[in-house]
Amino acid sequence: MADNGGAPDFSSWSCPLPLADYPTIVMGHGGGGKLGNELVEHLFLPAFRNAALENLGDAAILELAPGRIAMSTDSFVVQPIFFPGGSIGELAVNGTVNDLAVSGADPKFLSASFILEEGFPLAQLAAVVRAMADAAATAGVRIVTGDTKVVERGHGDGCYINTAGVGVLRPGIEVGPHRAQVGDVILVSGTIGDHGMAIMSVREGLEFESQIRSDCAALNGLIADVLDAVGKDVHAMRDPTRGGLSSTLNEIASSSNVGIEIDETNLPVRTEVQSACELLGLDPVYVANEGKVVLFVAAQAADRVLAVLRAHPLGRDAAMIGQVTAQHPRMLVARTSMGANRVIAPQIGEQLPRIC
Amino acid sequence: MKYLTEFRNGEVAQRIAREIHQVATRPWKIMEVCGGQTHSIIRNGIDQMIPAGIEMIHGPGCPVCVTPLNLIDKALAIASQPGVIFCSFGDMLRVPGTDRDLFQVKGNGGDVRVVYSPLDAVELAVRNPDKQVVFFGVGFETTAPANAMSVHLAKRRGLKNFSVLVSHVLVPPAIEAIMSSPGNKVQAFLAAGHVCSVMGYWEYPPITEKYRIPIVVTGFEPLDLLDGIRRAVIQLEKGEYRVENAYERIVSFAGNLPAQQLLSEVFEVADRAWRGIGVIPKSGWRLSAPYREFDAEERFQISGIHTEESPLCKSGDVLRGAIKPAECPAFGKECTPRHPLGATMVSSEGACAAYFNYGRFLSAEDLAHAGAALTGVANG
């Protein structure tokens, strides 16, 4: 096997056809034969190299610490595949890592399944795979098993990725969307809406003066710092991805049967994101994030958690945004900058730009 | 953002609100014409800040809401045809027709696309010469200039595969229709600032004279709206009626003359049906004779559509200001943003959606403040 530091090496492809003749995915790459094997051998293995993967068995054989494990899976179908601040590759790793981390688990192993469309450029696949390898290395997780399928041209969108992951739960940590308590303080680890507006800016061909970048990042290190510092004082965590902060807070309000109040003036939003939202008639609380965590913590720990968050590169813009209340259970209410209240309802379907 | 945050200053807002409280000695009913204003009032809680006796009535100024069901059904029929790329602004996609919406057409294989400008639809027509590209030209005087420009460009470029399904409506005839309607309760208007940025406000002085009613040209930020309400209340308390421009940073008396010139070239005034209200004479635009070839209704000749409004929906009464959203028996029950019966619940600028989304939580203090009219909202 070629070892060239993770970059795809197609020079040794011998049979049935050299790469030069197949710069794109063909049906044979998913046929379980030679072409598929070469994809594994020359692309996936060099990129994801680890002992569990190299066995190439039907399942990865893993050793986990005793105790409870967390398991999560997610599918990634983002368009475009490359966007400012990342690609589907980083999303596929960080998304599952974050789902494990906000459950109080230390993420360990991931699977990666690719559904590729006939005609998808191999160079793009290589870039996606490299991005996954880098993201996994940064997050400290290993990609230990995977699969590749190819669908006919017109039946896919270039590249879809599914990842599943397992992590080991920290002893004594009990976090969950049903555990928010009246009196908890709510914190968010940074600015909201960056990912959704970055995607929209490229997908819709909108040109803003300054480029908006996705916040895509693995949060397990940041969350580990918080849990190391305050442990049991963290009651609930969520990464506010699709549906944005609104969906996350509404879900926790419902799951925990509590009311949630936030102060709009405390929400961290980048000026360029706010401006883009104003232009399109969107509300940043509904816009997706891929590198933020919302934390519900006991009031006495709130200052400490904020300090820990801000000491981490991914939490520099962390802010306290609200609290849990016994009033209006299952509802999210915002204090407006005018000093009045408004309900932030769960989003229905997609956010749609307004006419005027 | 600098130019927005200035108009969202909470302290200044509280000061203007206090002034309104000092000035107001009687109850007044003020209509904000535009759905964008309704949205901002509810979103920022301005209805909670003003005296309980000052009732904000939500007008018909949401283009999504007033597009007649028959036209939406036509849009759905055109969008379903093979070989058609149907382009629309985003918030029209969820508006229910008689039995489906544009999302469902898209799900069933229709080529429905969200565009941010009608000029994007023209570009699509250039790039897809084998397809018919149709743009759903909805809106008040605000969106009309860009739509007119798209037709103008299509003609100049000789495009034979571009057309517009026109549903443009005009604000001044709607104000007249409301003032002339039996049972009208409106005592002052906040005119829609963005409409006036195009059209100016030279059309309004005759209306203030005829109906002896104050009209204040008002913007959309919280301070704009509070200032508009303040000026309207001052006029009402003094028994005065005139047009005031509280949106001087954007609006001039004459408006945008090149835009008006383009509009008068591409469009001509026509009678228009308003959803829930009915036909208002000379209240809309249709393509003028030189541009009629770009009319999607003429090009596609859709007929035999079965159009049926929900019998439960009181959207028309809401649009006329006859009832508040929560006074509709279906509000929050059969009709929610998830299962909308009428367009006022679908559009984010619709009065019913604004009430449903933002108005459900009111404290006892807020309720006392906002008056009995809102009690139903909290219960809904």
Side-chain angles (χ1 to χ4, degrees):
Chain A
M1 183 196 304
D3 186 357
N4 56 1
D9 173 16
F10 299 107
S11 59
S12 61
W13 282 34
S14 54
C15 182
L17 291 163
L19 172 67
D21 290 344
Y22 281 101
T24 59
I25 290 291
V26 295
M27 292 304 292
H29 282 123
K34 186 82 173 167
L35 273 179
N37 289 342
E38 290 190 355
L39 207 56
V40 171
E41 197 166 322
H42 294 289
L43 183 57
F44 297 136
L45 273 182
F48 302 150
R49 182 183 302 282
N50 59 70
L53 180 64
E54 275 175 48
N55 286 334
L56 293 178
D58 287 335
I61 309 302
L62 312 169
E63 284 197 31
L64 286 170
R68 294 178 306 154
I69 66 165
M71 180 170 179
S72 183
T73 184
D74 207 343
S75 297
F76 299 85
V77 296
V78 66
Q79 270 298 332
I81 286 168
F82 300 94
F83 48 82
S87 72
I88 194 171
E90 287 98 336
L91 280 184
V93 170
N94 293 338
T96 295
V97 163
N98 291 347
D99 285 346
L100 294 168
V102 297
S103 305
D106 185 11
K108 295 289 187 189
F109 303 108
L110 299 187
S111 71
S113 285
F114 297 84
I115 298 175
L116 306 171
E117 185 187 6
E118 192 182 15
F120 184 63
L122 272 173
Q124 288 195 21
L125 178 61
V128 167
V129 168
R130 267 199 301 275
M132 291 182 76
D134 290 346
T138 303
V141 296
R142 278 179 278 168
I143 296 171
V144 292
T145 186
D147 182 43
T148 308
K149 294 285 188 296
V150 178
V151 293
E152 287 181 19
R153 187 184 283 271
H155 289 248
D157 220 350
C159 173
Y160 300 143
I161 303 175
N162 170 277
T163 52
V166 292
V168 179
L169 279 159
R170 287 176 167 230
I173 299 296
E174 293 286 350
V175 297
H178 58 292
R179 301 184 72 90
Q181 299 171 20
V182 172
D184 279 357
V185 171
I186 305 163
L187 300 97
V188 64
S189 63
T191 54
I192 59 169
D194 299 6
H195 176 73
M197 292 316 293
I199 293 290
M200 189 167 278
S201 67
V202 283
R203 186 160 60 198
E204 311 295 352
L206 303 172
E207 291 174 15
F208 302 121
E209 264 182 36
S210 58
Q211 192 181 57
I212 299 171
R213 294 176 63 80
S214 168
D215 59 344
C216 182
L219 295 164
N220 53 330
L222 175 75
I223 290 170
D225 286 356
V226 171
L227 293 179
D228 286 345
V230 299
K232 289 180 178 174
D233 284 332
V234 180
H235 298 149
M237 287 188 283
R238 268 278 167 94
D239 52 335
T241 53
R242 281 175 306 162
L245 191 64
S246 155
S247 290
T248 292
L249 295 179
N250 270 295
E251 283 165 18
I252 291 177
S254 284
S255 298
S256 298
N257 198 28
V258 294
I260 291 180
E261 290 180 3
I262 60 171
D263 191 332
E264 277 194 319
T265 55
N266 289 348
L267 291 180
V269 186
R270 284 186 204 286
T271 305
E272 55 267 40
V273 168
Q274 182 72 49
S275 301
C277 284
E278 294 286 344
L279 199 67
L280 297 172
L282 304 176
D283 190 333
V285 299
Y286 292 106
V287 179
N289 312 275
E290 287 293 346
K292 298 296 166 359
V293 56
V294 178
L295 306 101
F296 286 64
V297 303
Q300 75 272 6
D303 286 329
R304 182 129 185 253
V305 172
L306 186 64
V308 171
L309 289 171
R310 287 181 173 168
H312 193 282
L314 293 175
R316 276 194 302 259
D317 299 319
M320 289 188 203
I321 58 169
Q323 62 281 321
V324 176
T325 167
Q327 281 84 48
H328 53 82
R330 307 171 80 84
M331 291 180 85
L332 168 60
V333 173
R335 190 83 174 153
T336 73
S337 57
M338 301 292 104
N341 294 321
R342 69 163 175 134
V343 170
I344 299 181
Q347 183 185 329
I348 298 162
E350 285 183 75
Q351 268 220 299
L352 297 170
R354 291 207 310 259
I355 281 183
C356 52
Chain B
M1 286 302 295
K2 173 180 182 294
Y3 301 104
L4 287 180
T5 47
E6 290 172 15
F7 300 97
R8 296 178 182 180
N9 184 310
E11 285 176 25
V12 180
Q14 295 290 349
R15 202 173 68 222
I16 301 175
R18 277 197 300 276
E19 194 181 337
I20 297 171
H21 277 269
Q22 285 161 6
V23 172
T25 63
R26 282 172 285 170
W28 299 108
K29 296 182 193 305
I30 303 171
M31 174 176 275
E32 81 278 359
V33 171
C34 174
Q37 292 171 327
T38 302
H39 191 80
S40 187
I41 287 170
I42 306 289
R43 187 188 189 285
N44 291 291
I46 287 170
D47 53 336
Q48 299 166 40
M49 300 172 74
I50 60 178
I54 296 179
E55 186 182 345
M56 298 309 295
I57 299 178
H58 313 306
C62 164
V64 176
C65 303
V66 299
T67 301
L69 187 58
N70 179 263
L71 204 63
I72 292 178
D73 284 337
K74 275 186 186 169
L76 295 166
I78 294 171
S80 303
Q81 294 194 5
V84 167
I85 300 175
F86 192 88
C87 302
S88 171
F89 292 131
D91 45 4
M92 291 305 291
L93 264 65
R94 237 183 353 238
V95 182
T98 297
D99 54 13
R100 58 196 167 141
D101 59 28
L102 282 168
F103 269 126
Q104 285 165 297
V105 170
K106 192 172 190 288
N108 289 329
D111 193 347
V112 177
R113 303 190 192 183
V114 172
V115 293
Y116 295 88
S117 160
L119 303 182
D120 294 344
V122 174
E123 285 306 314
L124 268 176
V126 172
R127 289 204 306 270
N128 294 275
D130 56 330
K131 299 278 179 74
Q132 280 291 329
V133 175
V134 183
F135 176 69
F136 203 175
V138 172
F140 282 82
E141 294 93 326
T142 331
T143 53
N147 295 355
M149 180 56 84
S150 74
V151 178
H152 184 78
L153 276 181
K155 187 178 175 72
R156 211 169 68 190
R157 297 171 82 161
L159 295 181
K160 300 296 177 196
N161 66 328
F162 176 78
S163 58
V164 180
L165 186 60
V166 180
S167 181
H168 279 303
V169 280
L170 305 173
V171 164
I175 292 179
E176 290 230 40
I178 288 162
M179 290 309 297
S180 310
S181 68
N184 167 57
K185 299 185 288 188
V186 179
Q187 295 167 298
F189 283 97
L190 304 185
H194 53 2
V195 167
C196 296
S197 71
V198 175
M199 302 304 291
Y201 56 94
W202 49 269
E203 295 170 283
Y204 294 132
I207 301 175
T208 55
E209 287 295 325
K210 183 175 175 185
Y211 298 101
R212 303 167 71 85
I213 188 164
I215 298 180
V216 183
V217 179
T218 305
F220 298 83
E221 295 303 323
L223 296 192
D224 290 325
L225 285 155
L226 281 163
D227 187 39
I229 294 166
R230 181 182 68 87
R231 291 184 190 220
V233 170
I234 289 172
Q235 283 199 51
L236 288 165
E237 289 284 342
K238 289 181 177 173
E240 296 173 350
Y241 50 90
R242 64 177 181 280
V243 182
E244 271 189 73
N245 182 6
Y247 203 31
E248 277 183 336
R249 68 182 187 277
I250 306 285
V251 170
S252 67
F253 181 75
N256 183 335
L257 295 177
Q260 291 173 35
Q261 195 177 355
L262 180 68
L263 289 169
S264 62
E265 182 191 328
V266 174
F267 293 123
E268 63 189 24
V269 173
D271 297 348
R272 270 266 160 213
W274 295 53
R275 187 172 190 175
I277 294 177
V279 174
I280 302 178
K282 296 181 179 174
S283 68
W285 272 318
R286 65 175 179 182
L287 289 167
S288 63
Y291 293 91
R292 197 68 50 77
E293 61 181 299
F294 297 98
D295 187 336
E297 283 194 84
E298 301 225 348
R299 186 166 299 181
F300 288 89
Q301 296 290 332
I302 300 295
S303 59
I305 294 174
H306 170 70
T307 292
E308 191 176 316
E309 292 275 7
S310 161
L312 294 172
C313 176
K314 305 290 180 202
S315 190
D317 293 339
V318 173
L319 287 169
R320 279 199 308 276
I323 63 168
K324 289 273 188 181
E327 290 168 338
C328 171
F331 179 82
K333 300 183 183 79
E334 294 88 349
C335 185
T336 64
R338 186 163 189 161
H339 297 288
L341 296 182
T344 46
M345 187 61 95
V346 177
S347 160
S348 59
E349 293 182 2
C352 294
Y355 266 59
F356 189 90
N357 286 336
Y358 299 141
R360 284 180 299 157
F361 170 72
L362 293 172
S363 69
E365 187 187 344
D366 294 332
L367 269 177
H369 196 61
L374 284 175
T375 312
V377 177
N379 295 335

